[in-house]
Amino acid sequence: MIKKLDNATILVTGGTGSFGNAFLPMTLSRFNPKKVIVFSRDEMKQWEMAKGYQDDPRVRFFIGDVRDRERLYRAFDGVDYVVHAAATKIVPTAEYNPFECIKTNVVGAMNVIDSAIDKRIKGVVALSTDKASSPINLYGASKLAFDKLFIAGNSYAGGHETKFSVVRYLNVMGSRGSVIPLFLTKKDMGNLPITDPRMTRFMITLEQGVDLVWHALDDMIGGEIYVKKNPVNESDGYCSCGRSTGNAKSNWRATGREDPRADDWPGGCTFYL
């Protein structure tokens, strides 16, 4: 049991995303935090999410963007721990909007680090991705820089006690923008498009992801990159999700791309995992 989360104030950036929607109820149920702050820039998602917590005084919602350091300074007042989940995550979106990707994933990381040090946050766990390992696209490259910034943040903090660690996520099953929801929308068509039959994915559930963040918060001394050891899933394995949801005739087919715009991507990017 992570006693440090009891009576603590926790802030989650990008808290209205898939991770935040799992982290918030699980943390409120398992621990007794003083306050959990959901920090995100989408007012409609916050409005919808807040409906489920109207009777829980421990939950707060802040509108803000990690690109805005002044807003982070205000939001971090009185916070003990930060889970940094805000990111530009969709690979083709990052390729088409590289400046915006860098502003969120790299400049946003710098803002979180500076704000956490200045506001004397006890610990920050930043959510990364396996795509940061030997990256082949801008999303992965931006997350590699992101990882290095957070690890370096422990030295950058100087005499301050703020600690930074990174959790490298795998492909989160069922999260928005991930492959399984895509397959579920296409299962009745008889074919499930994949990039290449040789490609592999490392899958993790949202609940496992939250557990990994809890473990990092409990175990961290600063400078760690936590990676959950999971078996690899090949194409026929994760494509079976379509067959297991009621359409036994669904089969996968190799299309050479997952996005019809792939031929137009800057740098000729065609394949991504």
Side-chain angles (χ1 to χ4, degrees), residues 253-273:
R253 59 184 174 86
T255 62
R257 59 181 66 90
E258 288 186 351
D259 191 296
R261 303 166 298 174
D263 286 336
D264 300 324
W265 291 352
C269 299
T270 301
F271 304 108
Y272 66 92
L273 303 184

Side-chain angles (χ1 to χ4, degrees), residues 10-55:
I10 309 160
L11 183 143
V12 185
T13 70
T16 53
S18 299
F19 172 81
N21 274 282
F23 179 85
L24 184 57
M26 289 177 65
T27 300
L28 292 172
S29 174
R30 181 168 178 180
F31 307 104
N32 186 28
K34 179 180 180 181
K35 189 187 303 180
V36 181
I37 301 170
V38 175
F39 181 94
S40 71
R41 63 185 182 181
D42 191 319
E43 62 177 321
M44 193 61 199
K45 289 178 185 175
Q46 285 200 12
W47 175 258
E48 293 295 333
M49 190 174 180
K51 292 177 182 177
Y53 299 96
Q54 291 179 348
D55 298 325

Side-chain angles (χ1 to χ4, degrees), residues 179-194 239 241-243 245 247 249-253 255 257-260:
V179 71
I180 291 178
L182 170 67
F183 285 167
L184 292 177
T185 65
K186 296 184 178 293
K187 64 184 179 67
D188 294 328
M189 298 173 62
N191 287 296
L192 302 177
I194 65 168
C239 285
C241 70
R243 293 191 290 270
T245 53
N247 188 348
K249 296 182 179 180
S250 293
N251 296 297
W252 60 262
R253 59 184 174 86
T255 62
R257 59 181 66 90
E258 288 186 351
D259 191 296

Side-chain angles (χ1 to χ4, degrees), residues 190-203:
N191 287 296
L192 302 177
I194 65 168
T195 303
D196 189 293
R198 298 167 297 177
M199 70 187 229
T200 57
R201 287 178 186 262
F202 296 91
M203 309 298 282

